[in-house]
Amino acid sequence: DAEITQSPRHKITETGRQVTLACHQTWNHNNMFWYRQDLGHGLRLIHYSYGVQDTNKGEVSDGYSVSRSNTEDLPLTLESAASSQTSVYFCASSDRLSYNEQFFGPGTRLTVL
Amino acid sequence: EDKVVQSPLSLVVHEGDTVTLNCSYEVTNFRSLLWYKQEKKAPTFLFMLTSSGIEKKSGRLSSILDKKELFSILNITATQTGDSAIYLCAVTLDAGNMLTFGGGTRLMVKP
């Protein structure tokens, strides 16, 4: 069955370290998204991609970067982790039609000490 | 700035009660509104609404959109403890595939 996976599921790191969160989907979806979820803020969009070599900034992109070298993967990198980036991160994907639902991965809980 | 607001923030009911969750939006070039249910893990899709006044129904859950007044409601009848979750509302715009989420409503159903 097609799916979307994230790794690691839990990560503890220290301030200033570079961290990469992986997202992999097997639906062959063109669109992929990264969100963070914090209490009181719901889900906020960090970066998104509409296809290979395409990346775009979302609402809260500062301190994060993504790259899209193939259809299946959209890794999220925190260049220099900060305590404010402690959060739960969700990856999602959808096919190229804008009105289609997004499918979410299981999430990565990141703690920055 | 695009805005999606959900109310109430949280709600505690007893099994068998009926609940109504609200989602209002102020966005440019609205395309669709989606409802998701989030239990312990990832949000799971419930409904997508694009037309005013047409109710979508799935079992005890139903939802309707009012594009004139810019809101949607999600109704859950005969609630069960398994309905306890965060319910998220999100909108998509004509100009892209992104979702703009509201802050969610946390529903707790007590036995």
Side-chain angles (χ1 to χ4, degrees):
Chain A
D1 280 347
E3 60 176 357
I4 180 166
T5 57
Q6 292 183 234
S7 63
R9 297 294 312 280
H10 301 271
K11 173 83 178 174
I12 299 175
T13 191
E14 294 176 342
T15 302
R17 291 197 182 255
Q18 185 181 78
V19 176
T20 297
L21 310 182
C23 175
H24 179 80
Q25 52 96 4
T26 58
W27 277 297
N28 204 35
H29 283 163
N30 285 306
N31 306 329
M32 294 185 74
F33 308 84
W34 273 104
Y35 296 89
R36 60 177 289 174
Q37 187 173 33
D38 306 287
L39 272 173
H41 289 281
L43 282 154
R44 291 182 290 173
L45 183 64
I46 305 171
H47 281 285
Y48 59 101
S49 167
Y50 290 150
V52 176
Q53 303 301 334
D54 176 72
T55 61
N56 306 279
K57 292 182 180 181
E59 180 190 358
V60 290
S61 60
D62 286 349
Y64 303 94
S65 63
V66 293
S67 61
R68 187 90 180 270
S69 57
N70 59 53
T71 301
E72 296 79 21
D73 299 288
L74 187 71
L76 176 73
T77 297
L78 287 67
E79 304 293 345
S80 176
S83 57
S84 60
Q85 294 176 308
T86 294
S87 187
V88 180
Y89 292 85
F90 288 101
C91 178
S93 72
S94 68
D95 76 20
R96 62 183 177 83
L97 296 174
S98 65
Y99 48 83
N100 277 9
E101 67 189 85
Q102 291 183 14
F103 296 88
F104 283 81
T108 294
R109 183 176 293 278
L110 176 68
T111 303
V112 183
L113 301 175
Chain B
E1 185 187 330
D2 297 328
K3 195 163 59 171
V4 180
V5 178
Q6 291 185 245
S7 63
L9 223 58
S10 65
L11 194 53
V12 180
V13 301
H14 287 94
E15 272 191 319
D17 288 349
T18 292
V19 297
T20 299
L21 309 183
N22 303 291
C23 176
S24 64
Y25 59 92
E26 286 178 37
V27 301
T28 51
N29 301 316
F30 171 89
R31 184 172 188 118
S32 63
L33 186 144
L34 292 84
W35 284 97
Y36 284 84
K37 177 183 181 182
Q38 185 179 24
E39 297 173 85
K40 295 208 182 296
K41 297 182 182 176
T44 53
F45 174 77
L46 293 174
F47 298 112
M48 182 171 67
L49 304 151
T50 55
S51 302
S52 262
I54 298 174
E55 185 183 54
K56 294 248 175 143
K57 202 168 166 63
S58 175
R60 295 176 294 101
L61 277 67
S62 63
S63 183
I64 198 160
L65 175 68
D66 186 327
K67 288 167 78 172
K68 185 179 173 190
E69 300 297 329
L70 308 182
F71 76 92
S72 173
I73 59 172
L74 175 68
N75 277 320
I76 309 175
T77 58
T79 52
Q80 302 171 356
T81 54
D83 295 326
S84 296
I86 297 172
Y87 290 84
L88 297 163
C89 163
V91 300
T92 65
L93 310 177
D94 275 340
N97 300 306
M98 303 94 75
L99 291 173
T100 300
F101 280 88
T105 293
R106 183 180 292 273
L107 173 66
M108 180 180 291
V109 182
K110 292 188 169 181

